Each structure stands twice: as C-alpha cells, then as structure tokens.
Amino acid sequence: MITNPILPGFHADPSICRVPGEGGDDYYIATSTFEWWPGVRIHHSRDLVNWRHHSYAVTRTSQLDLTGHPDSAGVWAPCLSYAHGQFWLIYTDVRSTIGAHKDTHNYLVTAPSIDGPWSEPIYLNSSGFDPSLFHDDDGRSWLLNQQWTHVPGKNHFNGILLQAYDREAKRLVGPVKNIYAGTELGVVEGPHLYRRNGWYYLLTAEGGTFYEHAVTLARSRSIDGPYETLPGNPLLTAWQKPTDGLQRAGHASLVETAQGEWFLAHLCGRPLEWTGPNAESNSPESGYAGLHCPLGRETALQRLIWRDDDWPEVVGANGQASQQPGMKVALPDLPPHPFPAEPVRDDFDSATFNGHLNSLRKPFDDSWASLTARPGHLRLTGRESLMSLFDQSLVARRQQHFNCRVETRVDFEPENFHQMAGLVAYYNTRNHAYLHVTRDIDSGERVVRLHVNRDAALSSVSAPVPVAPGPVDLAVEFSHDSYQFHLKQDGQDWQPVGPALDTAMLSDEFATRFINGFANHFGFTGNFIGIACQDMAGTRKHADFDFLSYEAKA
C-alpha cells in the first residue's frame, strides 16, 4: 500500500509529472516554499511509493528576491511539467498579503534536466496566482492562472484565465479568456489542464485551503470552454466527512503511469485537537476552531479510475468510489524502488548544505552561514531578530513527524544581551519559541533563556539558567501536541527548561487571523526547527554549531 502523506511536513500545492526513461519512468513533485529559501522544493520517485528530496529549482536571487516579503508570501503553487525535451517550471512570487491586494508576479524557468541548470526567469503576468503551463497535443502551450480581483464588492477569486504562450518568442500572445468561474464552493484557484479522449479536463481547487478545501473538475471539448462541472462535484474533499485522518484535502494535480494507471497528488493536513489559548479565535464558523496542523499542509496521493462516461472518480484502498482522501492507497503496477535511509545527524562536515536545511528569504552565504570558517561546524554570524523580514541568521528544517527530537551543540560566548544563539521552533516571525545562550541584562551572567513569541507578544516563560563557560547542548522534543526544551553541559544530565509548550502556536490555524471575515494574517507553511544567531547591536558576533540532529520517535 501507498501510505499517506507521501511527503510529510510542510509540502503544499503539489505539482506532479512523469518523465519517461529507458530504465523506468521518473516521477517528480514540486511544492510551494513561500518565504523559505531555496525556492520550489522537488521530490523524486520511481514507484510513487518511496519519495526523497531531490533538488530545488529556484536557487539564485536573480530568479527570485524574497527580501522583505511578509510571512507566507513568496513562492506560491509552482507547476512542473516536462515537454519538448525539457522541464518547465512556473511559479508565483506573491509580495503582499494585506487587504485586497496580493501583487502576484508569475515567472517561467526551464532546464534540460531536473538537476538544472535552471534558466533565468521569463516574466509572464501579474493578474493572479497559481499559474500552470499546459502542453497540448497539437504542439501549442497555454498558460492558466487564477484571476485576482481587488475591486471592492467583487469576488476576489474571479475565475480561471487562459492565454497562449509562444515558446519561440518566450512570451504570452493572443487574447486572455476567463474560461471557468468555479462552482458554489467558491474560491476557485490552482488550475491544471489535461487532455484525454478528446476532452479537456480542468482541475481546480475550491473552498479555500483550510478544512473546506476541495478538488473540482470540469471538462470541455474546446480548450477555451465552455466547461461543464463534474456531476456530483467535488472530485475530492474531506470537508464534513469522516476521514481516517487526512483533512484539508485540495489543490491537486494528475499523473498517468506508462501502464495507464492514474493518480491524484493533493495537499492535505493531519489535525490535532487544540484546547489551549486562542482555540476559539480562529473563525469558528469556518469549522476548524479547536483543530491545528503543526506539520502544515502535506502531500498525499490517491488512485483515480475513469468511468465509461469519461468522468473520473477517486477510489479507496478497497476499490470503491469515494470523494474522501484515504491514508492507504493500492499500489501502482511499478517495480519497488526504495531509497537508503537518511542520516539522523548532520555534523557539518560537508562544504555544502544538505537539502533539508533552509534559510529565510535569502540564500546561504559565507558572510553569515559558513561551513568552512571552523571545520566540522556551522558558523552563524549574528544579524537581525527572529522577527525580521530581511537579514535573519537562521538555518532550519521542516518538522515531519508529530513525535521527534532535535539536538544541537552551540559554542557561543556572548558579550551582552543583544547577542543570542540557540535552538528554535519556528513557524513565522510572529510565532516561535527560542532556547538560546545570551547574557543576562541585569547580572551580566552567561545564561540560557527560553523566549516564546506568541502572536508577536514576546515573553520569558521560565527563569534564566546560568551556564558555565564552554559549549552547551540544546534539545527540543515534540510529543504529539506539545514540545519541551532541554539543555545540558559536559558531565551533566539533560534538564528541562520551561514548561511544555503547545504546538497549536506553530500551526496555520493559529497564524491565520480573521477580522470581519477577511484574513489579516496568513499561515500557509508549517513548523521548522533550527539553529539561529542574533547580534542586534550590529557587532556581528558569531556562534559555532557542532551538529544538528533530527530523529523521528514512535
């Protein structure tokens, strides 16, 4: 069986494609990365069961500059395709998320191989987000995207646009046509187009990306419509359905194997109960008050079959038609292709960063993150606070398991309270918990402090712990819906620091806040765990980290 989610942890808006090969086909999934760097995360599989991170497509600031972007802005909903002997990748750079404007710029990059080199970006348009590129059987290529409308009194999600793309001229050409307004579910977005048996199939997301999310399907004999919606739509949803653990199902894409089997890759979330502070503040009328997904929006795979009337339906592990996403999916007719287990610990012995490590808004640079300044260590040079939208010295990885433990060892001799270095559980600039070495503002002692930034309200949740000179080991352990920080030094046992904290603070549901029915803060990502260094006095004090380990727990 395929076990969902196939990409656990923050892997949203999956775009799946197959690349034929003599030794077997390769399958790739591209996912959104928002404000995290590098941009557009790509996973690889040979059997649709086993997946591993492969690469990133957007790796240069000439392709994308995220400096100053708000939380959960940046790279939204990439579309990866393979046609005409090369890879095509479309992505949106969202620059604002406040009020009625989004400032959505859509770009195209290409590459001869999934490993690159990826080209400089070709600007396409800014009329909306979630762009995709469709390569028709007649050799033409077409761009689709959601149209965003800022005009007061109008529907912000104003249909799906279609326009031809001239591959030789490298630009959009011809008229722009609004081909689909969506259904009564509303919030139509995430378009992908497919052709089968003389039909054009338009796959979209509706309902919004929380618990009402759904996959809508429509079809037409003509590429520009009119499109007829699937009878009994949606094709897939978990809204108000008793699923086996997957919720928030939507934003999907399709792939066909060489054996003629079809699968639907879609985002999902695995919610936990939330009874702590602010549990009722997040739009109870929307149906998700009391739930939270600290791992963010993940990627799952469902099996699809085609009926005699040329409409598809999702089928469960028992082979029965179902609109509901399932944790278990029948295996495809493909030879197994497992990957070696990944190491638990990164000792920073390589000259390059491993693919699980990310930074915020800016690429890794020796000026602030060096793997060579002290061999066997990662040296972080202190810069701005964890609330900065510009120059953070933070290196982090996704939390991918509800139960896990992360450890590090930091060698840091701060001179004052402006200088900090340590271990952080980080959702965004407004919501994170930070265990760090610093100097006490009153006594001047070298101490370990635990600061919690909850909805932009900073607090110390425990007394500072004095520590002797030398390296300090820091750890955080996640246990389902709570997490606990720890510290130790040589010859000592681990000791807890502060109380156990609730994971709700590290979720989309907590980060997204509604005022008068409209979100004034967005949360589209998931929790990261990482190491950081600050010097807010501007003297560039550095900290050396000996290792970073991530271990899943039962």
Side-chain angles (χ1 to χ4, degrees):
M1 289 286 182
I2 296 174
T3 299
N4 282 317
I6 55 169
L7 305 184
F10 160 45
H11 296 101
D13 312 320
S15 172
I16 189 169
C17 75
R18 174 174 67 95
V19 180
E22 292 183 3
D25 296 343
D26 292 289
Y27 297 87
Y28 297 101
I29 291 179
T31 52
S32 298
T33 43
F34 294 88
E35 70 265 38
W36 289 93
W37 189 270
V40 185
R41 188 166 165 90
I42 297 173
H43 280 77
H44 172 233
S45 178
R46 299 295 299 274
D47 59 8
L48 295 177
V49 178
N50 300 285
W51 294 83
R52 69 174 174 183
H53 172 250
H54 184 84
S55 60
Y56 295 92
V58 179
T59 58
R60 306 185 301 276
T61 53
S62 59
Q63 296 171 311
L64 180 69
D65 185 357
L66 293 173
T67 304
H69 281 45
D71 296 327
S72 288
V75 176
W76 285 18
C79 175
L80 179 68
S81 59
Y82 182 80
H84 309 291
Q86 66 177 3
F87 287 90
W88 307 76
L89 180 77
I90 309 276
Y91 59 94
T92 303
D93 176 14
V94 177
R95 292 194 166 193
S96 60
T97 57
I98 298 174
H101 293 276
K102 291 288 177 285
D103 296 307
T104 59
H105 306 309
N106 295 317
Y107 298 95
L108 165 68
V109 292
T110 60
S113 161
I114 197 68
D115 298 313
W118 290 92
S119 69
E120 288 300 297
I122 298 167
Y123 171 74
L124 298 172
N125 65 26
S126 300
S127 55
F129 46 84
D130 292 2
S132 68
L133 197 63
F134 169 63
H135 309 279
D136 206 347
D137 295 343
D138 61 8
R140 292 185 294 175
S141 295
W142 298 84
L143 180 77
L144 299 97
N145 64 269
Q146 175 268 9
Q147 177 169 241
W148 180 262
T149 302
H150 66 272
V151 178
K154 296 294 184 180
N155 186 352
H156 294 303
F157 292 80
N158 195 237
I160 302 301
L161 302 183
L162 176 76
Q163 189 177 12
Y165 177 74
D166 187 322
R167 296 194 304 274
E168 295 299 322
K170 297 182 178 181
R171 63 183 180 90
L172 295 171
V173 296
V176 180
K177 186 168 184 178
N178 195 323
I179 61 170
Y180 190 63
T183 74
E184 69 281 356
L185 296 175
V187 198
V188 63
E189 56 186 337
H192 292 280
L193 198 59
Y194 305 91
R195 192 169 184 177
R196 181 184 182 275
N197 286 357
W199 291 101
Y200 289 95
Y201 291 90
L202 178 62
L203 195 71
T204 63
E206 288 196 287
T209 195
F210 284 92
Y211 292 85
E212 306 92 331
H213 213 22
V215 179
T216 285
L217 185 71
R219 72 181 184 186
S220 174
R221 289 293 188 184
S222 173
I223 192 169
D224 58 357
Y227 280 84
E228 170 197 5
T229 301
L230 170 72
N233 190 71
L235 179 65
L236 181 78
T237 190
W239 175 234
Q240 297 181 331
K241 294 184 182 297
T243 70
D244 55 3
L246 298 183
Q247 287 287 331
R248 302 178 64 178
H251 200 114
S253 60
L254 295 172
V255 69
E256 182 185 13
T257 71
Q259 290 74 24
E261 297 177 291
W262 286 77
F263 290 87
L264 180 90
H266 66 93
L267 67 74
C268 63
R270 289 178 288 167
L272 303 178
E273 292 294 330
W274 174 14
T275 58
N278 299 311
E280 296 303 317
S281 66
N282 287 304
S283 190
E285 69 275 8
S286 293
Y288 58 86
L291 298 175
H292 73 286
C293 298
L295 302 187
R297 296 179 301 159
E298 307 173 289
T299 288
L301 203 64
Q302 307 297 331
R303 181 178 282 272
L304 200 77
I305 62 169
W306 293 88
R307 304 191 308 240
D308 292 340
D309 61 0
D310 280 332
W311 284 112
E313 57 189 12
V314 173
V315 293
N318 58 5
Q320 299 299 308
S322 174
Q323 288 180 307
Q324 302 162 218
M327 283 280 197
K328 298 294 184 180
V329 176
L331 288 171
D333 183 19
L334 295 170
H337 190 90
F339 295 108
E342 295 180 328
V344 167
R345 177 164 155 154
D346 186 344
D347 284 303
F348 301 128
D349 292 327
S350 173
T352 58
F353 287 89
N354 81 58
H356 285 295
L357 296 180
N358 298 109
S359 59
L360 278 169
R361 298 177 178 85
K362 296 212 177 158
F364 297 122
D365 184 297
D366 278 347
S367 68
W368 69 270
S370 175
L371 289 164
T372 58
R374 182 179 175 183
H377 293 74
L378 171 57
R379 174 165 291 179
L380 296 184
T381 298
R383 297 191 295 172
E384 295 175 348
S385 76
L386 288 171
M387 295 188 75
S388 174
L389 301 177
F390 295 88
D391 294 310
Q392 287 201 37
S393 295
L394 169 65
V395 177
R397 60 154 295 148
R398 288 159 175 78
Q399 181 186 352
Q400 294 183 271
H401 305 84
F402 289 117
N403 302 308
C404 63
R405 183 178 175 89
V406 177
E407 296 182 11
T408 191
R409 176 173 297 151
V410 59
D411 191 356
F412 183 56
E413 292 295 333
E415 298 167 1
N416 54 62
F417 73 94
H418 294 291
Q419 299 167 347
M420 301 175 284
L423 182 66
V424 61
Y426 184 97
Y427 180 84
N428 64 11
T429 58
R430 302 174 63 89
N431 299 286
H432 49 263
Y434 188 27
L435 183 68
H436 59 275
V437 179
T438 187
R439 289 283 173 183
D440 187 81
I441 190 171
D442 296 317
S443 70
E445 286 184 289
R446 181 173 179 257
V447 298
V448 170
R449 279 190 176 275
L450 177 56
H451 281 173
V452 174
N453 196 4
R454 191 181 186 95
D455 202 20
L458 186 65
S459 63
S460 291
V461 296
S462 65
V465 181
V467 287
V472 180
D473 286 4
L474 306 175
V476 61
E477 185 152 347
F478 285 80
S479 300
H480 199 59
D481 60 354
S482 68
Y483 59 109
Q484 176 72 60
F485 283 97
H486 303 264
L487 75 85
K488 75 169 185 174
Q489 287 191 280
D490 283 345
Q492 299 178 350
D493 295 327
W494 285 104
Q495 59 176 300
V497 182
L501 303 171
D502 66 277
T503 58
M505 187 191 79
L506 305 174
S507 68
D508 297 351
E509 290 87 341
F510 185 91
T512 301
R513 296 305 179 89
F514 289 85
I515 295 178
N516 298 323
F518 197 84
N520 73 327
H521 294 301
F522 283 105
F524 292 146
T525 53
N527 184 45
F528 279 68
I529 311 166
I531 51 181
C533 183
Q534 295 79 36
D535 186 344
M536 292 176 291
T539 59
R540 297 183 64 79
K541 184 74 174 179
H542 69 258
D544 292 334
F545 293 86
D546 190 14
F547 64 87
L548 182 68
S549 66
Y550 177 98
E551 184 178 7
K553 299 287 186 178

